[in-house]
């Protein structure tokens, strides 16, 4: 969108959260260069994480750029009529997806999302998940790919598409660059459809095993969203934001029930998990407005095998670490960081998400 006089909505939101230090001086003084359609100049999530000293090592989105300077592809689609592929980019540097490019390419046929590119420059892209502890329903035991048109939305007045995960759908990268391993600190967030979920295992985004198998307690650290109560749960009937740490979905320090993790069902939901040596946290909020709430912040679970952690550094979307693929959900954007982000940095990121205009 063109710059107007005075502070734009994202700047006002960031100032309200006390996150002014995360913004460049040029943005605060109104001297930043003009952004194009859908851009939020000087304040995209990965710019904010970098300013906070916890840079993105993976940045995935089918809806918008997560750096103000990003002008590459967001995702790739493949059409059924001739198996041709096309990369879908942004309308302008730092802007929203060019959904019309997908619409014209897929006209008269169907398309699948084959790649979700990594905007961080580390090539931690997500592709069709291979078989692991569980085999998927597609050829060769792979998981299915998402229908490219199943999750249409608007972002800042522009059409975009999310990644619609039906049971059997999954994406993965088992050979990553820079993702936390062992007990190294990391953070992650995802913007999800808070009304699309089930009780299957497991709608995850985050750190997982590199061999697609269950390698024991503490070998994962991923955001989970859904109403599965087999391992852990929070208050109400769900859905909940929890952490999949392998062999357990944790809503807090206890193995099963933690009352402070509430049921959340915002149409557009920001889900946050972060973890470091004997500490971790769950946060969440409405991706359309307001700030983040902290649902847990404390020591690792009081169950053997999670302190220290044994993270392996793969990245998953829509599945469990062992390729469990019974879950449902919709993903719009998410990142993983190097280092344990501060609440201040995450609050600034949430303000940018809210200003991006999901559903508007």
């Amino acid at each position: 969108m063109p710059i107007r006089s005075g502070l734009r909505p994202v700047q006002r939101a960031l100032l309200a959260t006390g996150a002014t230090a995360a913004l460049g001086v040029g943005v605060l003084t109104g001297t930043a260069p003009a952004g194009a359609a859908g851009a939020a100049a000087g304040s995209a999530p990965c710019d904010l994480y970098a300013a906070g000293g916890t840079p993105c090592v993976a940045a995935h989105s089918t809806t918008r750029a997560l750096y103000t300077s990003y002008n590459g592809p967001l995702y790739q689609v493949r059409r059924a009529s001739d198996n041709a592929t096309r990369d879908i980019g942004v309308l302008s540097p730092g802007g929203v997806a060019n959904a019309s490019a997908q619409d014209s390419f897929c006209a008269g046929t169907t398309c699948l999302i084959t790649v979700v590119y990594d905007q961080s420059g580390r090539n931690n892209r997500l592709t069709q998940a291979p078989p692991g502890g569980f085999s998927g329903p597609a050829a060769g035991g792979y998981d299915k790919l998402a229908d490219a048109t199943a999750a249409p939305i608007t972002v800042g007045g522009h059409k975009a598409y999310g990644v619609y995960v039906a049971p059997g759908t999954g994406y993965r990268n088992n050979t990553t660059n820079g993702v936390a391993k062992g007990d190294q600190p990391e953070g992650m967030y995802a913007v999800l459809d808070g009304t699309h979920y089930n009780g299957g295992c497991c709608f995850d985004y985050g750190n997982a095993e590199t061999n697609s198998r269950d390698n024991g307690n503490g070998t994962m650290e991923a955001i989970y969203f859904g109403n599965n109560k087999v391992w852990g749960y929070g208050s109400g009937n769900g859905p909940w934001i929890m952490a999949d740490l392998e062999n357990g979905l944790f809503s807090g320090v206890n193995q099963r029930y933690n009352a402070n993790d509430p049921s959340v069902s915002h149409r557009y939901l920001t889900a946050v998990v972060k973890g470091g040596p004997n500490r971790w946290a769950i946060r969440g909020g409405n991706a359309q407005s307001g700030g983040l709430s902290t649902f847990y912040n404390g020591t690792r679970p009081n169950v053997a095998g999670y302190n220290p952690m044994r993270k392996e550094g793969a990245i998953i979307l829509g599945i469990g670490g062992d390729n469990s693929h019974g879950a449902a959900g919709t993903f719009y954007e998410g990142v993983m960081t190097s280092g344990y982000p501060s609440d201040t940095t995450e609050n600034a990121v949430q303000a940018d998400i809210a200003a991006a205009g999901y559903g508007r």
Side-chain angles (χ1 to χ4, degrees), residues 46-254:
C46 286
D47 302 318
L48 295 166
Y49 279 114
T54 52
C56 293
V57 294
H60 303 112
S61 178
T62 57
T63 61
R64 65 175 185 139
L66 301 178
Y67 295 82
T68 55
S69 62
Y70 188 75
N71 195 30
L74 299 178
Y75 62 104
Q76 181 187 88
V77 295
R78 184 180 70 217
R79 64 188 177 197
S81 58
D82 59 1
N83 283 326
T85 60
R86 177 158 183 179
D87 288 347
I88 307 301
V90 291
L91 291 172
S92 60
V96 301
N98 184 2
S100 62
Q102 174 182 314
D103 289 341
S104 60
F105 180 74
C106 300
T109 185
T110 59
C111 277
L112 301 173
I113 296 174
T114 49
V115 182
V116 182
Y117 289 106
D118 173 22
Q119 301 177 33
S120 77
R122 291 179 175 268
N123 199 28
N124 290 323
R125 63 181 64 183
L126 298 173
T127 58
Q128 188 172 15
F134 293 88
S135 292
Y142 279 70
D143 294 347
K144 295 186 297 185
L145 294 167
D147 180 339
T149 61
I153 59 167
T154 56
V155 182
H158 300 276
K159 186 179 182 180
Y161 292 100
V163 181
Y164 185 93
V165 174
T169 305
Y171 294 81
R172 194 178 197 116
N173 186 330
N174 281 342
T175 309
T176 61
N177 175 8
V179 178
K181 295 182 178 181
D183 212 23
Q184 292 176 335
E186 66 178 347
M188 62 197 76
Y189 84 83
V191 176
L192 310 171
D193 180 346
T195 67
H196 181 208
Y197 60 91
N198 70 4
C201 180
C202 291
F203 185 68
D204 290 350
Y205 172 72
N207 195 321
E209 297 94 338
T210 55
N211 63 357
S212 302
R213 286 169 170 77
D214 179 349
N215 292 334
N217 295 5
T219 54
M220 290 182 63
E221 185 165 67
I223 295 166
Y224 165 81
F225 180 68
N227 64 346
N228 187 307
K229 296 181 69 174
V230 172
W231 294 279
Y233 57 99
S235 60
N237 295 318
W240 305 278
I241 302 167
M242 296 190 283
D244 190 341
L245 305 181
E246 191 52 279
N247 297 321
L249 299 176
F250 289 91
S251 57
V253 70
N254 299 316

